[in-house]
Amino acid sequence: MKSKASAPGKVILFGEHFVVYGVKAILCAINKRVTVTAEKIEGEKISIKSNIGNLVLEPNKPVSEINSPLKPFYYLANKMLQSQNQTTGIEIIVESDIPIGVGLGSSSACCVAGAAAISRLFVETPKEEILKLAIAAEKTIFQNTSGADCTVCTYGGIMEYDKKNGFTKIKSEPDFHLVIANSNIKHSTESVVAGVKQFKEENEVEFSNLCNDESKLVEDVLKLLNNNSIKELGQKIIQNQVYLETIGVSNEKLRNMIQVGQKSSFGAKITGAGGGGCIFSLTDESNLEHSINQFKDKNYECFSVKIDFKGLDTF
Ligand code: MEV
């Protein structure tokens, strides 16, 4: 029997980094997906195949000793074998159309789709349990995750999230397009988050003021989303980028890309950890093509996405 699941990637619209310190963030799932297929196989082994490489290991190895980006899948498979008292082998196949390591939630989508496909080989697992498994799996590669990314990859749509209260779906379904431009600079979320921690420790008062400013901005955005006020949302995106510049997660290439985005759309900013990765520009039908063409003219890799309202899907 095969168990298959797919989960969307994500964009953080507002509040990355500040969310780690308790500020509310706004995220949306995007229409790019990871699909994971899990199957019981003969022999006591966990075999993972993906387009970034393969990993084959026997069960019961300490996860801390595994040095592979595929570690979360091993963790999930091993955990299910242990909790279900099973000695079968598991084969996991990962297919993805989300660019890897650039802030679009590819690892969270892998953890969510992986948790669903692997756990459902053994037991029917409700979404809340899948999310818990996925966050635990993500912690094997990024201990300090806020959990925001896995949450939006599980439930889809657009949501507000804070560490204390978890997520609340935002009811309005805004009809915007995002143009994602990829700097093709790989980043480690963990080390960019560590850099922000250092900024905070060296600038406690400034960081606390920035957290207050970001909180206020997010509250304003929630009102604007209800009214579908796209131009005003663009202004908030531009303001959020100022805060991200201040905490040091931008760089020259990202700034150049953001300038292209801000000139050709309603607003543009980094999404996710920064330090590399992607930026997005906010568009509607009136300026979507224009924004794409402006990025392409400057030889930046880009593509457009819409909100995915489905979230985790199982087959
Ligand atoms: C990474 O996509 C988002 C960060 O805010 C980290 C996190 O929330 O876990 C930078």
Side-chain angles (χ1 to χ4, degrees):
M1 182 200 106
K2 281 187 183 173
S3 161
K4 210 168 178 173
S6 99
K10 68 93 203 6
V11 163
I12 300 190
L13 295 171
F14 297 92
E16 52 274 270
H17 287 293
F18 300 102
V19 69
V20 175
Y21 299 93
V23 173
K24 200 183 276 179
I26 301 177
L27 302 89
C28 70
I30 56 172
N31 56 348
K32 295 239 169 243
R33 290 192 158 250
V34 166
T35 302
V36 177
T37 309
E39 189 174 11
K40 289 184 190 173
I41 53 168
E42 300 232 322
E44 286 190 36
K45 64 177 177 187
I46 295 168
S47 161
I48 305 153
K49 295 183 179 157
S50 80
N51 55 4
I52 58 160
N54 301 334
L55 180 72
V56 184
L57 288 172
E58 57 205 39
N60 296 323
K61 282 199 167 300
V63 177
S64 57
E65 285 173 15
I66 301 169
N67 182 18
S68 160
L70 300 173
K71 178 153 80 168
F73 294 107
Y74 179 85
Y75 165 87
L76 288 164
N78 201 39
K79 190 172 169 68
M80 287 315 295
L81 288 173
Q82 282 175 349
S83 68
Q84 300 298 312
N85 239 334
Q86 299 250 348
T87 51
T88 175
I90 300 181
E91 183 178 75
I92 299 156
I93 295 173
V94 188
E95 294 156 292
S96 176
D97 54 24
I98 308 173
I100 293 165
V102 289
L104 298 179
S106 82
S107 64
S108 307
C110 278
C111 290
V112 171
I118 297 163
S119 66
R120 294 176 83 254
L121 269 182
F122 301 95
V123 277
E124 233 359 273
T125 318
K127 268 191 178 175
E128 305 81 72
E129 278 310 307
I130 289 170
L131 175 58
K132 279 189 198 153
L133 281 169
I135 292 177
E138 190 166 50
K139 285 190 171 176
T140 66
I141 44 170
F142 173 32
Q143 180 60 37
N144 287 328
T145 176
S146 66
D149 293 7
C150 282
T151 306
V152 78
C153 296
T154 302
Y155 293 104
I158 173 164
M159 63 175 58
E160 48 178 277
Y161 176 92
D162 72 77
K163 264 169 122 172
K164 187 156 153 251
N165 301 307
F167 76 97
T168 311
K169 270 211 170 194
I170 293 171
K171 292 206 178 65
S172 60
E173 297 197 353
D175 190 25
F176 51 66
H177 298 257
L178 302 177
V179 178
I180 311 263
N182 188 349
S183 70
N184 277 311
I185 304 172
K186 288 238 159 86
H187 63 190
S188 145
T189 300
E190 190 157 33
S191 62
V192 187
V193 169
V196 173
K197 184 161 178 267
Q198 192 178 342
F199 176 90
K200 173 184 177 289
E201 282 164 5
E202 289 165 5
N203 307 275
E204 286 289 355
V205 175
E206 188 180 4
F207 193 79
S208 155
N209 289 338
L210 281 166
C211 284
N212 290 338
D213 292 345
E214 182 74 33
S215 285
K216 187 174 170 323
L217 182 141
V218 166
E219 291 310 321
D220 290 347
V221 166
L222 289 169
K223 290 184 203 125
L224 294 172
L225 279 170
N226 271 333
N227 307 334
N228 215 356
S229 313
I230 194 157
K231 284 192 182 133
E232 288 88 341
L233 275 175
Q235 289 306 309
K236 298 294 174 192
I237 286 172
I238 292 168
Q239 186 57 41
N240 198 155
Q241 178 58 26
V242 174
Y243 303 152
L244 291 171
E245 292 284 347
T246 310
I247 60 172
V249 301
S250 193
N251 60 37
E252 202 187 332
K253 184 161 190 192
L254 293 173
R255 273 190 287 279
N256 290 339
M257 291 164 68
I258 286 161
Q259 212 176 31
V260 176
Q262 292 190 348
K263 277 194 188 145
S264 61
S265 73
F266 299 112
K269 67 178 268 295
I270 286 170
T271 182
C278 291
I279 67 141
F280 72 81
S281 69
L282 177 73
T283 69
D284 62 12
E285 299 291 343
S286 72
N287 52 6
L288 171 64
E289 286 304 313
H290 177 60
S291 194
I292 291 177
N293 289 337
Q294 290 302 305
F295 283 116
K296 287 196 171 155
D297 274 1
K298 307 267 176 332
N299 289 323
Y300 294 123
E301 182 187 305
C302 71
F303 53 92
S304 72
V305 295
K306 293 211 77 177
I307 301 179
D308 165 286
F309 286 99
K310 194 161 196 181
L312 171 66
D313 202 7
T314 50
F315 316 90

